[in-house]
Amino acid sequence: MKKSIYNHLFVIENISVLFNCRTHKLLLVDDCLKELYSDYQPQEIKNLNASFYTALCDASMIVDDEINEFAEVKKELEQRDYDESLFHIIINPTLKCNFQCWYCYENHGYPSNMNNRVFENTKLFIKKVFADDKVKTVKISFFGGEPLLKYQDIIIPLLEYVNGLANSTNKKLIIHFTTNGFLLNKERIDQLKTLNATSFQITLDGNEEHHNNVRFDKANHNSYRTILTNVRHIVKNQMSVILRINYTTKNIKTIADVLNDISDIPSKSKELVIFSLNRVWQDEECNLDKEIEEIESQIINYGQLLIKTSD
């Protein structure tokens, strides 16, 4: 028997948690059990504390030596990728953006809006998807550029159309947005909720000062405060938000301020705000592992979920 490679041991408010990110099972352990797990191998754990060993096995935190966990996860992902019951469509209404972030890879200087011909062909394609008996769930993700620049022209007409198809075919519809969040407001969020919007990915660049120095429109509005106001209203409507934090050597220590700024979100809605830490690829090369570890601990201690850290 061996310990699962997907086990993680961390501390939240002085409580030690053993979590398996494959099975999503967790055990709360005292200091003695924490030491037992950390310092001993499975057979030794079994000899010293049989009940704890059984709990670890039941949670798939201890597995057979013959099991190749990585291969099994790869197989599960491949099955998911080739699952014909789910059809995922990504739509770019425009490649233009209302911000001009210094690290953006998009060229905003040429016409890049979805024209009417493409719009109508997109509707025809989606109609064929809904007509496929193998498809049970249709997921539509809006990307850009900033997709909300085409809110009235593309997004709302398309969502009204696909909701009609979902209702007539009795298929599940999932709507996701990758957006900077600035062009949202209470009315739009409420409207998107009625049209089956379920989740958003919204980017921040550190705390208010750092973010506003990177993400600003021509009128130089305080985009940080506007975006966090919209985040609060999204989770109030029981939709989830991935807060993608683009970090650099200059702003990484300010992420703690973001946590403070959303601390007024009710506890029951905290799980709807998920953090994703992503290093700006043009940032100067230096090791930030210590800083990332500290920020991750703060995120977890705030009761927020963390799905990805990339460097």
Side-chain angles (χ1 to χ4, degrees):
M1 303 295 283
K2 61 185 178 182
K3 295 176 183 177
S4 170
I5 61 175
Y6 297 104
N7 291 345
H8 295 275
L9 182 63
F10 53 89
V11 179
I12 301 178
E13 296 180 354
N14 298 320
I15 299 174
S16 296
V17 179
L18 187 59
F19 178 72
N20 186 283
C21 62
R22 181 186 176 190
T23 64
H24 293 172
K25 293 183 178 179
L26 60 84
L27 296 173
L28 304 181
V29 294
D30 59 22
D31 290 340
C32 291
L33 294 179
K34 175 184 176 183
E35 182 178 344
L36 183 61
Y37 174 80
S38 300
D39 297 344
Y40 294 90
Q41 294 304 310
Q43 186 58 47
E44 296 173 308
I45 295 173
K46 183 178 181 180
N47 294 336
L48 293 169
N49 192 324
S51 61
F52 181 46
Y53 175 85
T54 299
L56 290 170
C57 291
D58 290 343
S60 298
M61 294 176 182
I62 289 179
V63 298
D64 291 332
D65 288 325
E66 294 77 16
I67 292 179
N68 185 333
E69 292 185 282
F70 178 78
E72 290 195 352
V73 169
K74 182 179 178 181
K75 182 179 179 180
E76 291 169 3
L77 291 174
E78 287 175 348
Q79 290 175 341
R80 190 180 305 171
D81 287 342
Y82 293 101
D83 179 10
E84 293 184 324
S85 68
L86 170 66
F87 202 103
H88 186 189
I89 307 166
I90 301 176
I91 297 174
N92 287 20
T94 180
L95 295 180
K96 293 183 178 180
C97 187
N98 50 316
F99 291 158
Q100 296 287 330
C101 304
W102 65 269
Y103 51 74
C104 185
Y105 55 83
E106 294 284 8
N107 182 347
H108 303 296
Y110 57 86
S112 56
N113 296 327
M114 178 184 286
N115 59 38
N116 187 64
R117 180 180 62 82
V118 175
F119 178 71
E120 293 300 327
N121 285 338
T122 300
K123 289 168 61 179
L124 288 174
F125 176 75
I126 294 174
K127 185 177 181 179
K128 289 182 179 180
V129 171
F130 273 96
D132 189 337
D133 291 336
K134 296 189 296 294
V135 176
K136 307 302 179 184
T137 301
V138 178
K139 180 177 180 180
I140 297 180
S141 297
F142 289 96
F143 194 74
E146 174 47 56
L148 295 177
L149 284 171
K150 307 303 290 182
Y151 185 79
Q152 296 294 347
D153 299 337
I154 301 293
I155 290 175
I156 293 303
L158 191 58
L159 287 186
E160 290 175 344
Y161 178 74
V162 297
N163 271 272
L165 291 173
N167 292 334
S168 64
T169 58
N170 199 30
K171 296 185 191 245
K172 184 178 180 181
L173 179 61
I174 300 172
I175 305 297
H176 173 78
F177 287 87
T178 297
T179 170
N180 59 44
F182 184 70
L183 298 178
L184 289 169
N185 54 44
K186 181 180 182 301
E187 291 71 28
R188 287 186 169 185
I189 293 168
D190 291 344
Q191 183 179 25
L192 291 174
K193 172 68 174 180
T194 66
L195 293 170
N196 278 309
T198 55
S199 61
F200 297 79
Q201 177 175 283
I202 295 175
T203 304
L204 295 176
D205 284 78
N207 67 2
E208 183 172 351
E209 178 183 359
H210 282 268
H211 175 93
N212 287 336
N213 283 332
V214 175
R215 293 179 173 261
F216 52 88
D217 60 3
K218 292 181 179 179
N220 202 28
H221 289 108
N222 188 322
S223 66
Y224 181 86
R225 293 187 183 181
T226 299
I227 291 166
L228 287 192
T229 295
N230 291 330
V231 167
R232 294 184 185 95
H233 197 69
I234 289 170
V235 298
K236 184 179 179 180
N237 274 274
Q238 293 301 298
M239 295 181 284
S240 64
V241 178
I242 297 173
L243 278 183
R244 177 189 171 102
I245 310 294
N246 288 344
Y247 69 87
T248 65
T249 54
K250 294 181 179 179
N251 73 10
I252 187 168
K253 291 185 178 180
T254 74
I255 298 175
D257 296 334
V258 179
L259 290 165
N260 286 326
D261 291 338
I262 65 167
S263 62
D264 59 334
I265 292 178
S267 298
K268 64 180 181 180
S269 298
K270 272 190 173 183
E271 64 182 16
L272 295 172
V273 182
I274 305 167
F275 277 75
S276 175
L277 307 181
N278 299 267
R279 189 168 190 171
V280 175
W281 67 273
Q282 298 99 326
D283 188 38
E284 59 186 272
E285 292 186 9
C286 66
N287 191 293
L288 295 175
D289 289 349
K290 182 178 179 181
E291 290 82 354
I292 284 296
E293 183 177 350
E294 181 179 345
I295 290 298
E296 287 180 340
S297 297
Q298 290 175 340
I299 289 172
I300 293 170
N301 286 331
Y302 261 78
Q304 307 298 155
L305 296 175
L306 178 69
I307 61 169
K308 178 177 64 175
T309 297
S310 66
D311 194 336

